[in-house]
Amino acid sequence: MNYRAATILAREAVSSDLTKVIDLNLADPVTQIHVVYESTGASSGSPDGPAAKCVTKIELVDGSDVLFSLSGQEAQAVDFYHRRVEPGNVPIYLNATNAEMIYNLNFGRFLNDPEFAFDPRKFTNPQLKITIDRNAGGMTSTAGFLTVLAHIFDQKIVNPTGMLMHKEVKDYSMGSASHEYTDLPTDFPYRKLFVAAQTYGTGPEYLINTLKLSEDNDRKIPINLTMFEILRMITALTPPYRERLIVSGGASGLYFYCTPCYWPRVAISQWEGSNNAKTATVFGGDGGRGNYYLEGVGNNYDINVEGWAPHGAIELPFGLQDDPEDWFDPSGIGSLRLDILSVSGRSSSDKVQVFLQQLRRY
């Protein structure tokens, strides 16, 4: 076979918070690493948060050299913008049921890209590190399962010239109507720049006012847009993120957590084997959290969600995405600064993350 899925970590029980360190003893180039975490529900009612938060960090390192470093939610957002399709999550928030979350680490422009892939032969001791906080999300979970696969080139001989790296460069707390300046690296070309802002009950357009990217103290300003303008462009160019949540009907006045944070549209129906008279209403979802109210107790419900800005993240792509020569090369720039202006009334409880997709050539 030219391509195959290799098992890096067979399904393994997780009974404590941990950082799992996995030596990548592979000889073949890797086009994608596929991480699955299953959060086992231990109660009914409102979840502690989205199950995606249980994976707090994914890192791919070679000694002190960092090739990938994102939170689980950041990794899911990047994967969606990269492939334009949702991961195969199974977001079931019920007692004694696993909510399955998938995190794809993509190293090429597309699956099985022969030009760009993670080539373990180019590194000394590559390791994958996955940090898990069991009850950061899910249903008061105290246990779960972790699985790691890799999509690799098998009998097909390829010689990748580089790989796509993904790194968080800043995670900070907001202030009211305040500027946050971030000096961005100029060592590798940029394919995408990401900014995420997620506060439950508030869309990202009410957290961030403007984004400005400046070269050499405003000698050139490639980006100067409001968050409203960016989101409107995203809704025109990017498909909506769709997911189907299965939630507990054990009480009334409950929260649900969803991935889309901008303009989520939600609908609710019973998830039962037979019809009955009990009804439910649902509203909200901005910022990734909404409410549902039940006429009675005892049923489970199906919530369908469609919207944009997964986990509060937006992308700013550079150039033709299939042409590496058209990406943004900052190597000749002395200073590259991102200026994020917050909306009035924001506080330190509102968080923002800045992360990148860059091309690293071998």
Side-chain angles (χ1 to χ4, degrees), residues 73-78 80-81 193-198 204 227 230-231 234 259-262 308-316 353 355:
Q73 289 181 297
E74 291 168 348
Q76 285 192 344
V78 166
F80 176 74
Y81 283 118
L193 166 67
F194 301 92
V195 177
Q198 182 176 14
M227 180 60 86
I230 293 170
L231 288 166
I234 285 175
T259 302
C261 290
Y262 174 67
W308 287 268
H311 300 304
I314 57 99
E315 71 158 354
L316 296 165
Q353 298 81 39
F355 41 109

Side-chain angles (χ1 to χ4, degrees), residues 170-175 195-199 207-208 311-312 346-354:
K170 179 171 278 190
D171 183 354
Y172 71 91
S173 300
M174 282 185 168
V195 177
Q198 182 176 14
T199 296
L207 299 172
I208 292 176
H311 300 304
R346 303 331 307 177
S347 69
S348 60
S349 62
D350 302 304
K351 310 295 182 182
V352 178
Q353 298 81 39
V354 179

Side-chain angles (χ1 to χ4, degrees), residues 14 75 78 88 91 93 188 217 219 230 236 248 253 260 275 300 308 340 347:
V14 176
V78 166
Y93 293 95
F188 297 103
N217 296 314
R219 182 180 62 85
I230 293 170
S248 168
N275 192 25
N300 295 321
W308 287 268
I340 300 177
S347 69

Side-chain angles (χ1 to χ4, degrees), residues 60-68 106-109 115-124 126 159-167 187-192 324 327-330 356-362:
L60 176 60
V61 301
D62 182 42
S64 60
D65 194 359
V66 179
L67 309 175
F68 188 104
N106 301 290
F107 303 110
R109 294 162 295 181
E115 186 175 354
F116 300 130
F118 167 60
D119 191 345
R121 299 169 297 184
K122 303 294 184 181
F123 302 95
T124 303
N159 292 292
T161 62
M163 62 175 285
L164 294 178
M165 297 192 305
H166 300 80
K167 298 181 185 180
D187 47 356
F188 297 103
Y190 288 43
R191 187 170 184 258
K192 297 178 188 288
W327 300 344
F328 174 47
D329 185 357
L356 306 172
Q357 183 184 78
Q358 296 173 284
L359 173 61
R360 173 173 177 152
R361 293 194 180 274
Y362 296 132

Side-chain angles (χ1 to χ4, degrees), residues 235-253:
T235 58
L237 300 173
T238 305
Y241 190 107
R242 299 181 177 96
E243 66 183 345
R244 179 182 176 187
L245 312 170
I246 305 299
V247 297
S248 168
S252 188

